[in-house]
Each structure stands twice: as structure tokens, then as C-alpha cells.
Amino acid sequence: MRRQYAPRLSIADRREQVLDAALQVIVRDGYAKVSIEAVAREAGITRPVVYSAYDGLGPLLLALLDRQQIRAIEQLEGLIPDTLSPGDPGGFALRAIEAWMNAVVTDPMTWRPILTQQYGTPEVVRDRIEATRGHIRQQLSNLIFSGYAESLPDTEVAAHMLLAVLEHFGTLLLEDPPRYEPARMAATLARMLTALR
Amino acid sequence: MRRQYAPRLSIADRREQVLDAALQVIVRDGYAKVSIEAVAREAGITRPVVYSAYDGLGPLLLALLDRQQIRAIEQLEGLIPDTLSPGDPGGFALRAIEAWMNAVVTDPMTWRPILTQQYGTPEVVRDRIEATRGHIRQQLSNLIFSGYAESLPDTEVAAHMLLAVLEHFGTLLLEDPPRYEPARMAATLARMLTALR
DNA sequence: ATCCATTGCTACACCAGTGTAGTAATTCCG
DNA sequence: CGGAATTACTACACTGGTGTAGCAATGGAT
């Protein structure tokens, strides 16, 4: 009994399909369960087809990371302002925080692997995620400098704190069911920021 | 060529040895690499000996978790006060934060598996750690209520924020080399707490 | 010194994933 | 419509982990 042939796809479409399947496995079963075999099963194809798309699990996960990283950064575009408008103490922060949390609940497939995991396998991968974090943190640092220079002179450490809190809020939203309303978390954070001016 | 016999140990000593080996593997290679085989290799014994100590990987990891949880909680004992002395706004916080960070750098074997969620951490382990986190968070919540009730009425969310920051500071200390001085991080956090009173 | 109970080791059968060489089905194009 | 060219599948050898039955070394009691 020969198995039914999967539809033939161009290499580009195949790669998309494989990445979709890998992401599905990761979100459903966690990183521990990801394997070429599991991805093939998920996609309804056989291992050799997966190998025709990527040279192994490492390159596959790296490609997935590339794709998801682009999606994540696209969602962050424009969320972080360059400076704080002086007349609007907590308002803008509140809106930005809520927009970020909205992005997380809207597209959990993208955010779950970023927020709840460090890719333990290839060092390269972890480094790249951390590099992106560093970039975001730099923007946050500038922002803090523009609005909180007197109360928080160490903007670098302050940016670490802020990003840690934002990421933690994100993970809380990914719990099932979400523990708190986005507005509730944003309110407390905005309150703190306001108090610091 | 028969391998050399490992020293005979009582069941209790054997269990300690096995847990030590497992912890070593986890800290060095991550949870993804832990197996009965890896633990046996690390301890310089054979698999059947590991099986004589624990009934499999699950029970072994659970026992390790028990042991490390006790060690972690012991180190936290007394770090968190019940209430804040009214006359000492940021001073106590500063000392407590530095004490906590000192514990992390002193005993990284205990804290690394807790602070850095690794690739492939088993569900049981994660759940248990999360339960303990909840307990700590509750204490922090009480503390915030006793000192910051007006500025931070949502003590539950505030406790989440505080713990997220403290844990992030911990992970920064576990980097090699540590990114910041403990005092530097503590200073910024203490400054924020002071500003909120 | 020598038992022999205790404790560790070897060896086996089994499972699940890897990577690939060779074969078969499917398209597309003449 | 029929035969390449393309694309997917099968099958195999290999690796590394699991759990256990049975054998062998050790070392304390006699």
C-alpha cells in the first residue's frame, strides 16, 4: 500500500510549507519535540522532501527564525516613538504598550517562540535574537533618555528593566487563559512611568 | 576488557551522586541533553546503576527539582522582609536586591536552571518552578502593599513586574562575563522604588 | 582466608530519529 | 496522447537512547 503522493510544489512553496509545519509543531509541542521526522509528519510529506528544502534541522530552524524575526520586527515598526511628546506624560506610553500587547495576542504563533524560548541548539540563533533585543533596547534607552533623564540617569539599565517587563507581560498574555487584561498591565506600567517624571 | 568498578555506595549516597551528575549535565548542556545515559556517563557509572537509584528520567528530575528547590528557597529565606520600615525608603530594598544578586553569582549551579528557561525543559519542572514563583510573587505583593499602596494600587501586577526585573537581573549576572555590576542594577531599581513613594 | 550477599557490569532486544540511494508516480510539453 | 523530466516515496544502514536479565567483582562477616 503505497502512500498517496503529496502535491508537487516549487522549492519556494515547499520551504514555506515546511516552515509552517515546523512552527506548528513548536507552538503545539514545544522545541523538545521538533525533528525532521515530526516536521515531515506535520506537513504530510516524507523526510526526503524536507531534506530537499533544507539541509537539516539546524538550517531549517534558522530559516524559520529569519522569517519569524522579520514578521516580528514588522509588527514592532512604528510602535516605539523617537521621543516622548513633553505634554503627554503617560498617554503615549500607554497606547504603545497596549499596541504591543495587542500584537502579541493577535499573532501568538509569531511571538510565542520569541518570548517563551531561547533556541538552545545553535549558538548563532540565540545570538541573533539577543542582537535584535539589543536593538530594541537601544531604542527604548533613547526614549528613556528623552523623557526620564533626571529620574533615571542610567538609561541602559532602565531599558533592560523596561524590556524585561514588556516581555513578561507578553508571556502572561500567551498563557491559556491569559492571566490579566492588557489594559490592566499597561495601566500599572504607565502609572509607574508617570510617577517618575 | 572489563571496565573498572565504580565504588560501591549506599543507595542514599548513590542518589546524591546521580542528582549531582544530572545537575552538571543540565547546567552544561541544557535539559535537552539530559538522559539516563548522559547522567550515567557523567557520574562514571552504568545505566543499570542509575536505574537502581531512580525509576527513570521523570522521577530523577523530580527528585532533583525537590533538592534544588529547597536549596533555592533556603537562599531566599529572610531576603524578603514582611513589611517595609517606614523610615527607610530605598535602603532596605537596595540591600535585599544586592543580597539576592549575590546569591545568584555565588551559586550559579542552583540558579541557572531556574532563571534561564532552557530548550526542552520538561513540563513538570516548569510547572513546579512556576508554582514557587507564584509564592515569591505573593510575598512581593504583600511587600508592595505595605509600602506602595497609593502609588501602585494593583499590587498583583506590580509584583509581576518586580519579579520579572529581578529575574532579568539574575540572568544578566549569569552571562559570561556579567554585563553589569550588581550595585549598578540595584541602584536603578532602588531609585525607581524611591521615586514611587 | 574464604564465603556469599551485595552491588555494579555486560549484553541484548527494542524504539525513534537521521541521512541517502534507488525507485515510482506525476506532470508538462512536444 | 505519450514519453522525458521532475518530484515524491520506499527502504536501508546507522546512531543513540531505553529498560532488563543475567553474570561477575567486591568487601564485610565468619
Side-chain angles (χ1 to χ4, degrees):
Chain A
M1 184 60 181
R2 207 147 224 278
R3 81 181 283 167
Q4 195 170 5
Y5 261 51
R8 297 183 167 206
L9 294 182
S10 71
I11 185 66
D13 287 348
R14 187 63 80 196
R15 288 204 171 110
E16 279 306 294
Q17 182 201 25
V18 164
L19 294 189
D20 287 343
L23 184 56
Q24 191 75 33
V25 172
I26 289 166
V27 169
R28 173 159 37 75
D29 305 325
Y31 281 93
K33 297 286 184 64
V34 185
S35 64
I36 296 285
E37 173 64 26
V39 170
R41 254 195 320 256
E42 181 71 31
I45 55 184
T46 56
R47 268 179 292 124
V49 180
V50 178
Y51 281 105
S52 75
Y54 295 103
D55 282 348
L57 195 60
L60 192 160
L61 288 177
L62 236 119
L64 177 61
L65 185 70
D66 279 338
R67 195 184 78 169
Q68 296 308 105
Q69 193 176 24
I70 288 169
R71 291 189 183 175
I73 289 174
E74 274 170 359
Q75 292 183 29
L76 290 180
E77 290 279 293
L79 238 65
I80 304 174
D82 291 333
T83 59
L84 286 173
S85 54
D88 184 12
F92 197 97
L94 194 77
R95 262 173 286 129
I97 296 161
E98 286 190 326
W100 141 251
M101 296 203 275
N102 184 55
V104 172
V105 290
T106 303
D107 186 6
M109 292 280 274
T110 292
W111 290 104
R112 187 180 294 276
I114 294 172
L115 290 175
T116 70
Q117 281 302 332
Q118 306 183 358
Y119 294 77
T121 9
E123 198 64 21
V124 212
V125 175
R126 193 183 319 192
D127 288 350
R128 251 222 332 294
I129 288 185
E130 194 45 51
T132 306
R133 275 206 181 91
H135 188 246
I136 304 286
R137 205 148 46 215
Q138 184 56 51
Q139 293 182 255
L140 291 178
S141 186
N142 294 341
L143 199 66
I144 290 166
F145 180 77
S146 84
Y148 301 90
E150 328 82 48
S151 50
L152 294 174
D154 193 339
T155 57
E156 196 177 334
V157 166
H160 267 282
M161 292 172 60
L162 180 54
L163 186 55
V165 167
L166 289 174
E167 292 205 22
H168 182 67
F169 281 174
T171 65
L172 288 177
L173 286 175
L174 289 175
E175 284 181 3
D176 187 44
R179 218 140 151 181
Y180 307 106
E181 288 295 308
R184 182 174 167 193
M185 296 188 271
T188 297
L189 180 49
R191 203 176 176 107
M192 275 183 88
L193 293 175
T194 308
L196 282 165
R197 300 206 64 158
Chain B
M1 184 62 180
R2 209 150 224 277
R3 80 182 281 166
Q4 196 169 6
Y5 261 51
R8 297 185 168 206
L9 295 182
S10 71
I11 185 67
D13 288 348
R14 186 62 79 195
R15 290 203 170 113
E16 279 305 296
Q17 181 202 25
V18 164
L19 294 189
D20 287 343
L23 182 56
Q24 191 76 34
V25 172
I26 289 167
V27 168
R28 174 161 34 76
D29 305 325
Y31 274 100
K33 296 286 185 66
V34 185
S35 65
I36 296 287
E37 174 64 26
V39 171
R41 248 190 331 251
E42 182 71 31
I45 55 183
T46 56
R47 271 179 289 124
V49 180
V50 178
Y51 280 105
S52 75
Y54 295 102
D55 282 346
L57 194 59
L60 192 162
L61 287 177
L62 248 133
L64 176 61
L65 190 63
D66 281 337
R67 195 184 79 168
Q68 295 308 106
Q69 193 175 26
I70 287 168
R71 291 188 183 176
I73 289 174
E74 273 170 0
Q75 292 183 30
L76 290 180
E77 288 281 290
L79 237 63
I80 304 174
D82 289 335
T83 58
L84 287 173
S85 54
D88 184 14
F92 196 97
L94 195 78
R95 262 173 285 129
I97 295 162
E98 286 189 326
W100 141 249
M101 296 204 274
N102 184 54
V104 172
V105 290
T106 303
D107 186 7
M109 290 282 275
T110 292
W111 291 103
R112 190 179 292 276
I114 294 173
L115 289 176
T116 70
Q117 36 173 295
Q118 285 162 323
Y119 179 74
T121 304
E123 197 64 22
V124 229
V125 175
R126 216 171 287 208
D127 289 351
R128 188 80 80 77
I129 292 176
E130 193 45 52
T132 307
R133 273 205 183 93
H135 189 246
I136 304 287
R137 207 149 42 215
Q138 183 57 50
Q139 291 181 258
L140 291 178
S141 185
N142 295 341
L143 198 64
I144 291 166
F145 180 76
S146 84
Y148 300 89
E150 327 83 47
S151 50
L152 295 173
D154 193 338
T155 58
E156 196 177 334
V157 166
H160 267 282
M161 293 172 59
L162 179 54
L163 186 55
V165 167
L166 290 173
E167 294 205 21
H168 182 66
F169 282 173
T171 65
L172 288 178
L173 287 174
L174 289 175
E175 284 182 5
D176 185 43
R179 218 140 152 180
Y180 307 106
E181 288 296 308
R184 182 173 166 193
M185 295 189 271
T188 297
L189 181 48
R191 203 175 177 108
M192 275 185 88
L193 293 175
T194 309
L196 282 165
R197 300 205 64 153

